[in-house]
Amino acid sequence: PRPRSPPEPAAVGAALVAPWLPPPPARSIRDLIIMGESKWMGKRWEEMDTDVLVKIFKELNLVELSPVSQVCRLWRLACSDPLIWGTLDFGLLKSNFIQTRASPYIWVDDRSDKRLAKILRVAMAISRGNVNCMIFHYNLYMKDEHLHYISQRSPNLKRLVMPAWNRISRAGICQAIERWGELESLTMPTIGHPPYIMEGLANSCKNFKELKIMGSFDLLFASAVTTYLPKLKVLSLRCSKVTMGALQCVLNSLEHLEVLNISHCLLFEMATNGRRQVIHELDNKALERASRLREFHHCQSRQCVACQRMMLDEGILRWYRYEDWFWRRDEVRSLDLKDYGRLFGAQCEMLTSVD
């Protein structure tokens, strides 16, 4: 028989080209975990490297991490990694409260306290002391026992955004500050007698360098800061009621200060007739003092929306009237809280209710 002729080049190409197949459907993280193993990676889940598990678990929130951390020792270790727990943002967690006329001027529903205790127990158990930054909402009314629990289980805390003071005693906050020896940054609501807190920071937190005040900042407060924290580098008074005497005290006395933010502050001084006089423009002397700073943020414009809100609220901003994100903003980059974290999002807020 005659030998068969070789196939045409096109036929050769067609024989070698595999038929086209559509890509497999994308799977969610939950789908991968439920599968129990990943065939395309060639390893079972219990054999996965810790760094791979950490990258996956970073996409989960607190409610989802809780059962995952109980699967096995390796998974629990991965769930506690500092990359997951660097920032614990409870900015969406608020108390159910009613304002009262008697001290502490607030009544909080017992279910709110139980809910907070439950959430803190879960978070502190999984994080195992790896939280570096903790953020609380200004309308979360914590008690001494909550603060005590946190301070015992987060010894490496470097940044704290404080909740409301009403139900926290002087002894409670001082005891917590003593445990947070590595604290570097504090955002706090205004308080009637600030010197003891500034003194506690000076005695216990040797690397402390950033302070943000939300509320009122008078000469007593300024004197406490300059006396006990002379090496402070960053100070933000954004959206606070500030006396000119307090501002002058800060500019004249804090020689190591590098960054000052007085944006949208209600600046005022007392006139000779005893009436309060609002200052809309800084004088040349104050501007000259501020020029030595690396960053100086200021805005007292009548056209600015934030400044208009300060005037409307007479210097004590009613944060609840405005956008949820407004209280989190700051012109100083290191103090801006940005968006809410993944660990405690809106879904967690709904799933952590207490009956």
Side-chain angles (χ1 to χ4, degrees):
R2 297 177 59 184
R4 298 177 62 181
S5 58
E8 296 296 327
V12 173
L16 296 177
V17 175
W20 179 86
L21 295 175
R27 296 183 182 274
S28 67
I29 295 172
R30 294 182 182 85
D31 293 334
L32 293 175
I33 294 177
I34 292 173
M35 285 173 62
E37 64 179 31
S38 178
K39 295 180 180 180
W40 56 272
M41 294 189 69
K43 286 188 177 182
R44 296 178 61 84
W45 276 96
E46 59 267 27
E47 299 171 347
M48 296 281 284
D49 295 334
T50 303
D51 57 345
V52 177
L53 290 173
V54 170
K55 289 181 180 179
I56 296 173
F57 295 162
K58 279 181 67 176
E59 303 300 317
L60 306 180
N61 60 39
L62 182 61
V63 173
E64 295 164 333
L65 277 174
S66 181
V68 170
S69 67
Q70 301 175 34
V71 171
C72 64
R73 182 178 177 276
L74 177 62
W75 283 31
R76 182 171 182 82
L77 181 65
C79 287
S80 304
D81 194 275
L83 291 177
I84 298 177
W85 294 95
T87 298
L88 182 53
D89 190 342
F90 287 129
L92 290 172
L93 185 60
K94 310 171 190 176
S95 298
N96 183 21
F97 67 94
I98 298 174
Q99 293 182 339
T100 64
R101 294 184 178 182
S103 181
Y105 309 106
I106 210 79
W107 175 86
V108 178
D109 184 3
D110 186 56
R111 288 175 297 179
S112 291
D113 288 336
K114 291 180 179 179
R115 179 191 184 202
L116 177 58
K118 173 184 175 183
I119 293 170
L120 292 178
R121 281 197 302 270
V122 174
M124 295 297 101
I126 303 176
S127 63
R128 302 172 75 176
N130 287 320
V131 178
N132 292 324
C133 172
M134 204 172 299
I135 301 170
F136 294 101
H137 194 275
Y138 61 89
N139 268 346
L140 179 68
Y141 292 91
M142 187 181 291
K143 295 196 296 187
D144 281 356
E145 60 192 67
H146 300 131
L147 192 62
H148 176 75
Y149 189 85
I150 294 171
S151 62
Q152 279 190 320
R153 291 161 178 80
S154 55
N156 301 316
L157 196 69
K158 293 185 177 180
R159 183 181 183 188
L160 175 65
V161 178
M162 279 289 298
W165 293 105
N166 298 55
R167 301 200 299 165
I168 300 177
S169 68
R170 174 172 178 169
I173 185 60
C174 287
Q175 189 178 52
I177 290 176
E178 287 178 3
R179 294 194 179 107
W180 286 322
E182 298 184 25
L183 193 68
E184 298 177 1
S185 175
L186 176 66
T187 297
M188 56 176 281
T190 191
I191 192 168
H193 189 68
Y196 74 88
I197 297 180
M198 302 300 111
E199 184 178 7
L201 292 171
N203 293 335
S204 302
C205 310
K206 301 305 180 183
N207 297 322
F208 191 81
K209 60 183 180 181
E210 289 186 344
L211 179 64
K212 179 175 179 178
I213 308 299
M214 300 172 63
S216 297
F217 191 74
D218 56 13
L219 186 57
L220 173 63
F221 211 143
S223 299
V225 172
T226 57
T227 299
Y228 295 107
L229 302 174
K231 296 183 179 181
L232 191 69
K233 293 185 177 181
V234 179
L235 176 62
S236 177
L237 306 173
R238 184 183 192 269
C239 295
S240 295
K241 183 168 68 173
V242 181
T243 66
M244 285 302 297
L247 178 59
Q248 292 168 0
C249 178
V250 166
L251 290 173
N252 293 334
S253 303
L254 289 180
E255 297 180 357
H256 297 272
L257 192 67
E258 298 177 2
V259 180
L260 176 61
N261 186 10
I262 59 169
S263 297
H264 325 303
C265 287
L266 183 67
L267 300 174
F268 71 96
E269 60 183 1
M270 300 307 295
T272 53
N273 59 2
R275 299 185 63 180
R276 188 180 68 180
Q277 181 180 355
V278 178
I279 308 297
H280 294 285
E281 292 185 7
L282 295 175
D283 57 30
N284 292 332
K285 186 176 181 180
L287 291 173
E288 182 181 357
R289 289 279 186 179
S291 64
R292 65 180 176 84
L293 302 174
R294 178 166 55 84
E295 293 181 27
F296 179 54
H297 304 275
H298 65 102
C299 175
Q300 282 76 40
S301 171
R302 298 175 189 268
Q303 284 72 44
C304 171
V305 174
C307 292
Q308 291 174 2
R309 291 174 175 178
M310 283 294 293
M311 292 294 293
L312 180 65
D313 292 342
E314 298 180 345
I316 302 298
L317 208 61
R318 273 66 171 177
W319 299 100
Y320 61 85
R321 293 180 178 177
Y322 309 115
E323 302 88 350
D324 288 339
W325 51 262
F326 184 53
W327 71 276
R328 300 172 63 90
R329 298 283 77 90
D330 200 289
E331 288 72 16
V332 180
R333 183 177 300 180
S334 61
L335 291 173
D336 188 85
L337 298 179
K338 302 178 178 63
D339 296 328
Y340 292 98
R342 183 185 297 275
L343 273 173
F344 196 84
Q347 183 183 12
C348 288
E349 188 182 15
M350 294 183 292
L351 295 176
T352 53
S353 59
V354 176
D355 297 331

